[in-house]
Amino acid sequence: MTHNIITTRRRLIKGGLAAAAAVAAPAVLRAQGRRDLSMLTWAGHADPEVIGAFEEMHNVRIRAKEYVGGDQMLAQIAQSPTGTYDVILSDAEYVVQLQQAGFIEPLVPEDYPFDDFFPEFQNFRGHWFDDRPYAVFLRFGFLGLSHNRAAMSEAEARSYRGMWDSRHEGRIGHFDWHLPNLGALSLLNGNLSPFDLDEQHWTELSDTLMSLRPQVRGFYDYGGMLSALRSGEVAAIPGIGDWITGVLARDGADVTTTIPEEGGLQWTESLSIGGGSRNQDLARTFIQYMLSPEGQVKTATLKAYPAMIPTRSGWDRLNEELPGEARRQNMVLNGPNALDEIRAGRIRLRELPVQQSLETWNDAWTRYKNA
């Protein structure tokens, strides 16, 4: 390499670094003012297509800690110093426990668009204490009987009883969580309040559960359910819904979720500001963004698992931008839609056990798995 070439190369490198520095300077300066927002959440909610625009708009970086299951979420908070999480996304039935433990902050009602919510979601049970909300309703879905159409038709799935058919021996799967499974079978038993059971009805539910055991292929996590339903390894899985079959349907799998005649359950995810958060202003702004029409469409079409949304303006935006997805998720504006299922009384909220402890339900589930 000659001297001239070395000199020229040094000049190019020097010039390139200078140019790069000039280009990067605004970004560096911008990064110096950037704030962090911590979030405890189910998977998928901090994907770039969901939060990217918010991060850019507010010069913030969202640091997400993901969990699997409400019990794990509670344990994660309990083991962390106060103020660790600015935003907490939780299943609605756990908000009461979060509030009673002081893990979430009270919210100012005027900060959030409650008037934009459909009436069913404005004063949602378990979110308000002494006329103050501690969580806002973000998204929801229905749980019924999810099935591979080649193995179980919609007609057969109109009753949970179809799982006991001899053709499905060894081909029923389970999401490995006691609440949705026991809740679905409680509906089969005719319990209008499927989680509020006296001793007799709890014994009957335990018996119903155990009678299904010979039909069971296995107990699955999120990825396992996708694989088992897609391949037809299992004919059906009770207590799950479009949050699984919707993901598969996007890829063309012949699966669906039917709400049986005995009824279905509603899962709900809510947002709260973490107790002791030092970024409450930013947390509030983030929640407001997720309740805006833009944020609502993003959460409705979350890649990890889709969901229905509670705001009128969100439905308007979804029908305008993605009418096919609005139809698929039964959120059409003109005609029968998902709200009719709730108003007809076919959907019950998924809740924590009322007359038994969580440990009692969990123990029953463990005995069932080991039977």
Side-chain angles (χ1 to χ4, degrees), residues 73 111 167 175 181 285 302 326 358:
M73 179 268 297
D111 288 341
R167 292 182 298 111
F175 178 38
N181 284 289
T285 303
L302 196 75
L358 264 176

Side-chain angles (χ1 to χ4, degrees), residues 72-318:
Q72 187 184 106
M73 179 268 297
L74 288 173
Q76 186 71 40
I77 298 174
Q79 295 166 5
S80 303
T82 300
T84 297
Y85 301 107
D86 299 308
V87 177
I88 298 171
L89 180 140
S90 69
D91 293 313
E93 58 265 45
Y94 286 89
V95 171
V96 173
Q97 295 195 2
L98 290 171
Q99 192 272 342
Q100 292 177 347
F103 290 154
I104 52 179
E105 297 283 344
L107 306 176
V108 178
E110 291 76 17
D111 288 341
Y112 304 98
F114 287 105
D115 289 344
D116 191 27
F117 283 24
F118 290 106
E120 289 79 6
F121 314 129
Q122 289 179 348
N123 193 348
F124 197 65
R125 190 164 72 195
H127 282 30
W128 291 70
F129 301 85
D130 297 328
D131 295 326
R132 295 198 69 177
Y134 280 70
V136 291
F137 194 120
L138 176 67
R139 62 204 306 262
F140 69 103
F142 297 156
L143 309 174
L145 189 56
S146 298
H147 53 106
N148 185 306
R149 284 193 178 97
M152 181 182 285
S153 67
E154 280 95 337
E156 192 179 5
R158 289 197 186 109
S159 173
Y160 295 107
R161 185 62 60 187
M163 294 188 291
W164 277 261
D165 190 288
S166 59
R167 292 182 298 111
H168 304 312
E169 183 176 353
R171 298 193 64 195
I172 299 301
H174 279 299
F175 178 38
D176 193 4
W177 187 20
H178 54 80
L179 273 188
N181 284 289
L182 284 165
L185 297 186
S186 187
L187 288 170
L188 169 63
N189 279 5
N191 298 317
L192 295 179
S193 299
F195 299 92
D196 188 0
L197 306 176
D198 61 22
E199 195 59 31
Q200 176 186 340
H201 289 94
W202 168 243
T203 299
E204 291 173 357
L205 176 57
S206 300
D207 292 343
T208 299
L209 176 69
M210 201 59 74
S211 71
L212 184 61
R213 189 65 180 85
Q215 303 292 92
V216 174
R217 175 81 171 195
F219 299 83
Y220 301 93
D221 59 12
Y222 172 80
M225 286 191 295
L226 292 176
S227 175
L229 268 177
R230 184 201 309 271
S231 68
E233 174 183 321
V234 298
I237 301 178
I240 61 170
D242 192 65
W243 70 281
I244 288 292
T245 53
V247 174
L248 293 170
R250 287 172 181 164
D251 295 334
D254 191 17
V255 299
T256 191
T257 296
T258 297
I259 303 300
E261 293 174 356
E262 296 93 348
L265 301 171
Q266 178 181 312
W267 63 268
T268 303
E269 289 175 348
S270 309
L271 287 170
S272 298
I273 295 178
S277 165
R278 292 183 290 275
N279 297 297
Q280 293 192 30
D281 58 333
L282 195 55
R284 180 179 62 249
T285 303
F286 175 71
I287 295 173
Q288 290 169 339
Y289 172 75
M290 293 308 300
L291 294 175
S292 71
E294 179 181 355
Q296 286 279 274
V297 171
K298 290 181 184 298
T299 197
T301 57
L302 196 75
K303 286 185 178 178
Y305 57 109
M308 292 181 276
I309 46 181
T311 65
R312 294 183 179 86
S313 61
W315 281 45
D316 288 340
R317 177 73 71 92
L318 186 68

Side-chain angles (χ1 to χ4, degrees), residues 1-13:
M1 185 178 293
T2 66
H3 173 75
N4 286 340
I5 293 176
I6 293 174
T7 302
T8 302
R9 187 180 177 191
R10 285 175 175 167
R11 286 174 178 167
L12 287 172
I13 293 174

